């Protein structure tokens, strides 16, 4: 039972809770993506191969994808304050291990602990926003949250490049560690509990099935992305993962007290928001990998120039994300979903006829258009989907959306990198990039179709 409701919490207390969670998410988003830039010097420092080094990024996605479905149980079993501080300590320990890691194994353990923290932070923040803010303000705060989790990964590779060149790869973890410690101190004086512990059974079978299911899918698709398309290293994990997920879903549907309640799927708005989020993340994550590859590996630009090309888009998202939240609060999801999906489609279509002579100014413009789409849709879809389900299912709905879009991003990254390589006959080429973005345009068109369905299926609701 909640001990602090919307009415009993003062506005300043809501802001303090929100800020502590927001900066925790910023820290987790920073270390999630920044390591890609630091990988080459890190490999040299620890004397590891590229294949081994890639595990530092893939294990993060694996661990986070595994942890997210467990979050509803944790939110119910532990008080909000207790869960936040435990998660923060775990995240800080992971950062400390990575910062001082003398070898690859210690660094890998640190990354797993960071991912566990990130998985909980993402779901917990969404649940808390929906619990502590009035309905007509939820869109605004979700927009600010979306800016943090969506904007930081865009800036992170550029920031990491500067840090690595000047201070070394360990500085990424040290700076995030300092930020997290400051958040912890701030929260000690300001964080208020909004829930008590409740009795909840830990369904070990569901946890194992979820872990094997999500882990198998992500591992198999990660191997596909690294070139092992038709091998036991990709096929077997995917088959095992699919079987485990089918058993997991069956167990949730037949259990009187499901570990992850799938009831939100009975709501049309929730289903459309999940599908929209899946498509958005599929296009977003694939593009975030392919665009830097095109600029640096094919066109030969430096990491700094690549970062500058994406900078205008980052600024656009900084404006669009909170603005989308205000529009959602005052109108509804329909103009945001339609406008964002159309922008997403044309941003992909605009990258289907690249050449080695095309101006990077043009690419920067298209990328900004892409970030506009992400800013309009990312958290608006989540807010809309969560608004239509009962409060007791909030944590389950958040976990469903977060886990499925995380999986979609991992799947998309693996599949479309493979498409790009195959279209270039095993090499990186402009033609391969063009073919990939043509295929991504088809995926983005699905978002437009979903937006059109929303216009006719979902009644207009203005939030007062």
């Amino acid at each position: 039972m909640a001990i602090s409701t919307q009415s009993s919490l003062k506005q300043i207390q809501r802001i303090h809770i929100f800020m502590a969670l927001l900066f925790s998410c910023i820290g987790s988003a920073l270390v999630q993506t920044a390591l890609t830039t630091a990988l080459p010097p890190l490999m040299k420092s620890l004397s590891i191969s590229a294949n081994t080094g890639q595990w530092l990024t893939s294990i993060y996605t694996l661990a986070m994808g595994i942890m997210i479905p467990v979050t509803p149980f944790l939110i119910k079993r532990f008080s909000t304050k207790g869960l936040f501080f435990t998660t923060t300590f775990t995240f800080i320990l992971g950062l400390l291990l990575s910062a001082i890691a003398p070898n690859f194994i210690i660094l890998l353990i640190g990354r797993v602990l960071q991912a566990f923290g990130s998985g909980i932070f993402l779901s917990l923040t969404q649940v808390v926003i929906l619990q502590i803010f009035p309905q007509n303000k939820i869109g605004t705060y979700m927009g600010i949250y979306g800016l943090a989790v969506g904007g930081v990964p865009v800036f992170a590779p550029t920031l990491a490049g500067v840090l690595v060149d000047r201070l070394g790869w360990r500085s990424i973890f040290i700076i995030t560690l300092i930020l997290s410690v400051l958040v912890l101190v701030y929260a000690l004086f300001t964080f208020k509990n909004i829930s008590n512990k409740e009795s909840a059974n830990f369904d070990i079978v569901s946890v194992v099935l979820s872990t094997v299911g999500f882990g198998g899918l992500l591992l198999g698709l990660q191997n596909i992305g690294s070139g092992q398309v038709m091998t036991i290293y990709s096929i077997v994990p995917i088959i095992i993962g699919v079987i485990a997920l089918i058993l997991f879903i069956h167990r949730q549907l037949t259990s009187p007290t499901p570990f992850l309640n799938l009831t939100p799927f009975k709501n049309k708005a929730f289903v459309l928001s999940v599908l929209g989020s899946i498509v958005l993340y599929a296009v977003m994550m694939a593009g975030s990998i392919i665009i830097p590859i095109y600029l640096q590996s094919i066109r030969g630009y430096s990491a700094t120039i690549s970062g500058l090309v994406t900078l205008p888009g980052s600024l656009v998202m900084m404006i669009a994300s909170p603005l989308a939240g205000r529009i959602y609060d005052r109108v509804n999801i329909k103009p945001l979903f339609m406008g964002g999906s159309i922008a997403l489609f044309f941003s992909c279509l605009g990258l289907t006829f690249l050449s080695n002579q095309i101006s990077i100014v043009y690419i920067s413009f298209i990328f900004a258009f892409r970030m506009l789409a992400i800013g309009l849709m990312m958290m608006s879809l989540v807010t809309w989907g969560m608004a239509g389900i009962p409060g007791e299912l909030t944590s389950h709905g958040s976990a469903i959306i977060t886990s499925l879009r995380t999986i979609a991003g991992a799947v998309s990254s693996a599949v479309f990198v493979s498409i790009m390589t195959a279209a270039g006959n095993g090499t990186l080429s402009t033609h391969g990039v063009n073919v990939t973005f043509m295929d991504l345009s088809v995926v983005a068109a699905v978002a437009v179709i979903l937006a059109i369905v929303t216009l006719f299926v979902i009644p207009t609701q203005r939030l007062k």
Side-chain angles (χ1 to χ4, degrees):
M1 178 183 296
I3 63 173
S4 295
T5 62
Q6 291 179 13
S7 58
S8 63
L9 277 176
K10 297 178 181 179
Q11 177 63 13
I12 187 64
Q13 292 174 327
R14 296 190 190 111
I15 297 299
H16 284 317
I17 295 170
F18 174 70
M19 292 300 292
L21 287 165
L22 182 69
F23 279 99
S24 297
C25 289
I26 288 174
S28 65
L30 181 62
V31 294
Q32 181 179 358
T33 53
L35 203 64
T36 55
T37 305
L39 202 53
L42 188 151
M43 288 159 47
K44 183 177 180 181
S45 173
L46 297 179
S47 300
I48 57 177
S49 66
N51 287 335
T52 302
Q54 282 297 329
W55 272 102
L56 295 172
T57 54
S58 60
I59 198 68
Y60 196 98
T61 306
L62 269 169
M64 202 166 90
I66 290 168
M67 198 66 199
I68 289 170
V70 182
T71 305
F73 166 81
L74 297 176
I75 291 175
K76 186 175 183 180
R77 183 65 181 82
F78 301 97
S79 67
T80 311
K81 189 173 183 178
L83 181 58
F84 171 76
F85 281 109
T86 302
T87 303
T88 303
F89 278 120
T90 302
F91 187 66
I92 287 174
L93 177 60
L95 292 169
L96 181 61
L97 286 177
S98 295
I100 64 174
N103 54 51
F104 173 75
I105 297 299
I106 300 299
L107 180 57
L108 194 67
I109 294 172
R111 290 293 285 169
V112 171
L113 293 176
Q114 293 160 34
F116 284 165
S118 294
I120 296 174
F121 281 141
L122 290 175
S123 294
L124 181 62
T125 303
Q126 294 176 33
V127 171
V128 169
I129 290 174
L130 291 166
Q131 287 182 346
I132 67 174
F133 290 108
Q135 190 178 29
N136 64 343
K137 295 292 183 182
I138 287 175
T140 298
Y141 286 99
M142 277 290 198
I144 297 171
Y145 163 70
L147 174 62
V149 299
V152 170
V154 177
F155 283 105
T158 304
L159 175 63
V162 176
L163 290 175
V164 170
D165 287 341
R166 294 181 177 273
L167 302 174
W169 62 267
R170 296 180 191 272
S171 63
I172 295 173
F173 300 109
I174 293 172
I175 290 176
T176 310
L177 175 63
I178 294 171
L179 172 64
S180 299
V181 170
L182 291 175
V183 170
L184 181 63
V185 173
Y186 171 72
L188 284 171
F189 294 97
T190 61
F191 202 96
K192 300 293 182 182
N193 195 29
I194 65 170
S195 68
N196 282 328
K197 300 177 183 178
E198 295 182 30
S199 60
N201 295 322
F202 188 74
D203 187 353
I204 186 63
V205 175
S206 289
V207 173
V208 171
L209 289 174
S210 171
T211 301
V212 174
F214 286 118
L217 274 182
L218 289 170
L219 177 60
L221 292 164
Q222 184 73 33
N223 288 336
I224 288 176
S226 63
Q228 304 177 61
V229 181
M230 295 298 293
T231 68
I232 59 172
Y233 301 106
S234 57
I235 295 175
V236 172
I238 289 175
I239 292 175
I240 293 175
V242 169
I243 293 173
L245 285 177
I246 291 173
L247 294 174
F248 174 79
I249 292 171
H250 179 265
R251 187 174 180 84
Q252 307 319 301
L253 292 175
T254 56
S255 172
T257 55
F259 191 72
L260 182 62
N261 197 317
L262 303 180
T263 303
F265 281 112
K266 294 181 179 180
N267 183 279
K268 291 180 182 179
F270 182 81
V271 172
L272 287 169
S273 71
V274 169
L275 293 175
S277 297
I278 286 174
V279 173
L280 177 63
Y281 263 67
V283 175
M284 181 178 75
M285 295 307 295
S288 67
I289 293 176
I290 293 168
I291 291 175
I293 288 176
Y294 168 74
L295 290 170
Q296 297 178 48
S297 300
I298 298 175
R299 295 291 297 274
Y301 290 109
S302 66
T304 302
I305 295 298
S306 178
L308 290 174
V309 168
T310 62
L311 184 60
S314 303
L315 298 175
V316 168
M317 185 175 178
M318 289 180 66
I319 298 171
S321 189
L323 180 62
R326 291 182 176 273
I327 293 173
Y328 176 86
D329 284 338
R330 295 184 180 183
V331 189
N332 55 64
I333 188 62
K334 294 181 180 181
L336 296 170
F337 200 175
M338 181 58 68
S341 62
I342 291 173
L344 187 69
F345 172 75
F346 281 106
S347 69
C348 292
L349 199 63
L351 294 172
T352 60
F353 52 89
L354 298 175
S355 69
N356 292 333
Q357 290 75 42
I358 200 164
S359 170
I360 59 173
V361 175
Y362 169 80
I363 299 172
S364 183
F365 174 78
I366 295 296
F367 186 83
F369 209 53
R370 176 175 176 269
M371 297 307 292
L372 171 64
I374 294 170
L376 290 177
M377 288 196 296
M378 186 165 69
M379 293 316 303
S380 300
L381 285 172
V382 174
T383 307
W384 173 54
M386 298 292 288
I389 61 177
E392 65 270 17
L393 295 178
T394 298
S395 60
H396 294 270
S398 175
I400 290 169
I401 293 178
T402 306
S403 58
L404 289 181
R405 70 185 188 183
T406 300
I407 296 296
V411 169
S412 177
S413 299
V415 169
F416 285 102
V417 167
S418 296
I419 289 174
M420 177 180 63
T421 305
N425 294 321
T427 62
L428 298 176
S429 67
T430 302
H431 174 69
V433 173
N434 289 338
V435 170
T436 304
F437 275 105
M438 177 60 74
D439 292 337
L440 280 171
S441 299
V442 175
V443 178
V446 175
V448 178
I449 295 172
L450 291 172
I452 293 172
V453 171
T454 301
L455 290 177
F456 296 100
V457 173
I458 305 298
T460 300
Q461 295 180 344
R462 291 182 63 87
L463 299 177
K464 301 296 184 183

